Amino acid sequence: MKNGATLRVDNLGPISTAEVAFGDLTVLVGPQAGGKGLFLRTLKLVLDRGHIINTFKENHFVVENDPDAFMDAYYGHGMSQILNGDPTVVWNGAKHGLAELAETRGSGRDGTEKLFFIPAQRATALQSGTPRHFGSFEFGDPFALCHFADQVHKILRTGNNQRNQVFPSPNRLNKTLSDPIDRHLFHGARVSLEPDRGKMRLTLRAEGTDRPISFLSWSAGQREFLPLLLGLYRLLPRGGDSRRENLEWVVIEEPESGLHPQAATVIPILVLELMRRGYKIAISSHSTSTLDFVWAIREIQECGGGADDVGKLLRLPATPQAKRIAEVPLTKEIFVHFLHEGGAEDISSLDPGSDNPNVSGWGGLS
């Protein structure tokens, strides 16, 4: 295992025992309310505890020396009850009680953020098309959502080119990334941040029209995808091939949410670009299209395929930038884990002929 990162969680809500080994790309599947979100939020807590505590303080959320308050503020209102089961976390062999991680006393915490979390509720970060900041949320709204919204707010506040044009934005994404987004999601329309009814709001201007279309009139897929796109702007610094300083991990919950299957083909391309920049990616998904992609990449790897095969799979153009993206998965470790009541099961082979129904059925998705 190249990364060697392993997280085990015991007695946390619906999770009795779950251990997950992380690769360059890790996909979690499983039933609704099975613990995938809890597990991934616990990963962020382990990696970013100091940063989370500092962020609460900066935004005047009172969690000092109160583990119950911290749990409600971090996981969501009412989630302090999870401490009743005395949950424990083991990260790369080091064991911690969850209450210990909620402890805010002491000094010398590492306040560096290492993991960027794009939550499933991301569309609420753009309420009626108006970017929200951390302080606009209530105590008990999940930290992952509050912090993500705050980052999106900062991205939009810095401004873009051409009257605050958000997409397309050549200085943000190259054509290999932006063209399929335009083709499958925006169809030549421009997304901008403009004054509207006394506030700066996101609007859509279709080709050949004079008036902008308000955010709530967009398609569900467009409303779900745009905050994900803005999260990518945070992760892909302008110019060059670098990743954002200090950030090493990216979690994306349900990246396919609201998307037509053709539009969902954009997601693997964006994930591979993040991997090319050096990020470790963890995804939770309820979509067979995500596992279709993972299965196909594993087949290409095992059959000795090359970048041309990946390019054909993703319908990438024959350009140097596209080839660099297509080369990414050929040498990467990709794991799939099925989270269920019995724990976490490695189903990475996705072998349709397996005697194990969880493997052949792709964790119940197929």
Side-chain angles (χ1 to χ4, degrees):
M1 207 185 309
K2 293 178 182 177
N3 295 326
T6 303
L7 177 65
R8 172 174 169 159
V9 173
D10 296 303
N11 305 318
L12 180 62
I15 303 172
S16 54
T17 296
E19 183 170 334
V20 167
F22 291 91
D24 300 291
L25 169 63
T26 307
V27 181
L28 302 185
V29 298
Q32 297 283 355
K36 299 184 299 296
L38 271 176
F39 194 92
L40 292 173
R41 282 164 171 75
T42 303
L43 172 65
K44 180 168 177 65
L45 178 57
V46 168
L47 290 170
D48 289 343
R49 174 176 170 267
H51 173 265
I52 293 164
I53 293 170
N54 291 344
T55 302
F56 280 140
K57 287 185 175 182
E58 290 166 3
N59 289 279
H60 311 293
F61 279 41
V62 182
V63 298
E64 193 74 19
N65 306 325
D66 188 342
D68 284 346
F70 182 91
M71 289 291 103
D72 281 343
Y74 180 69
Y75 287 105
H77 184 69
M79 291 300 293
S80 59
Q81 299 172 78
I82 61 180
L83 292 178
N84 296 338
D86 194 23
T88 58
V89 175
V90 182
W91 172 246
N92 291 336
K95 185 175 181 178
H96 307 275
L98 194 62
E100 173 191 344
L101 294 177
E103 178 57 64
T104 58
R105 291 185 180 89
S107 58
R109 292 186 300 267
D110 180 4
T112 302
E113 184 181 23
K114 302 179 182 68
L115 186 152
F116 189 76
F117 201 112
I118 302 178
Q121 314 100 312
R122 53 188 169 268
T124 59
L126 300 173
Q127 189 175 37
S128 300
T130 302
R132 302 179 67 183
H133 56 84
F134 200 106
S136 69
F137 290 89
E138 297 294 330
F139 185 94
D141 291 336
F143 175 88
L145 171 60
C146 303
H147 181 58
F148 174 75
D150 200 59
Q151 296 302 299
V152 166
H153 181 267
K154 290 176 180 176
I155 291 164
L156 292 173
R157 190 176 62 193
T158 60
N160 293 273
N161 61 345
Q162 302 177 16
R163 293 183 62 222
N164 288 334
Q165 186 165 308
V166 176
F167 183 86
S169 181
N171 62 337
R172 293 282 192 180
L173 299 179
N174 60 59
K175 287 179 64 63
T176 302
L177 302 175
S178 63
D179 281 359
I181 293 173
D182 185 40
R183 184 166 61 250
H184 293 303
L185 283 144
F186 294 114
H187 313 289
R190 302 191 318 274
V191 179
S192 301
L193 188 67
E194 303 181 22
D196 178 39
R197 290 168 285 162
K199 289 186 177 182
M200 295 296 288
R201 299 180 194 271
L202 288 158
T203 60
L204 190 70
R205 288 183 177 268
E207 288 185 310
T209 61
D210 296 328
R211 291 189 297 174
I213 300 169
S214 65
F215 184 74
L216 293 181
S217 297
W218 299 10
S219 75
Q222 289 170 335
R223 292 197 306 270
E224 291 283 347
F225 182 80
L226 186 66
L228 173 58
L229 177 64
L230 293 170
L232 293 175
Y233 285 177
R234 171 79 175 91
L235 294 164
L236 305 176
R238 302 180 195 221
D241 294 327
S242 62
R243 69 179 191 225
R244 186 65 63 180
E245 186 179 0
N246 299 321
L247 287 173
E248 301 172 10
W249 293 74
V250 179
V251 166
I252 309 175
E253 290 189 311
E254 302 175 28
E256 72 287 341
S257 181
L259 299 183
H260 183 278
Q262 286 187 340
T265 62
V266 171
I267 301 300
I269 300 172
L270 298 173
V271 168
L272 290 183
E273 175 64 12
L274 292 173
M275 293 169 66
R276 190 179 75 83
R277 301 283 186 114
Y279 293 107
K280 303 178 185 72
I281 314 295
I283 292 173
S284 68
S285 180
H286 294 124
S287 171
T288 56
S289 65
T290 299
L291 296 193
D292 286 340
F293 165 70
V294 173
W295 177 84
I297 292 297
R298 291 184 69 87
E299 288 291 301
I300 291 172
Q301 288 177 334
E302 292 173 5
C303 294
D308 289 345
D309 299 296
V310 177
K312 290 177 183 176
L313 172 69
L314 299 176
R315 299 181 182 179
L316 293 173
T319 63
Q321 177 67 26
K323 184 177 180 180
R324 287 195 289 271
I325 292 175
E327 290 172 341
V328 169
L330 298 176
T331 58
K332 300 294 186 180
E333 286 190 316
I334 303 177
F335 296 148
V336 181
H337 295 273
F338 173 40
L339 266 65
H340 53 89
E341 289 183 0
E345 185 175 354
D346 188 332
I347 60 169
S348 299
S349 71
L350 300 176
D351 178 8
S354 173
D355 292 333
N356 183 338
N358 292 334
V359 176
S360 59
W362 292 4
L365 290 183
S366 175

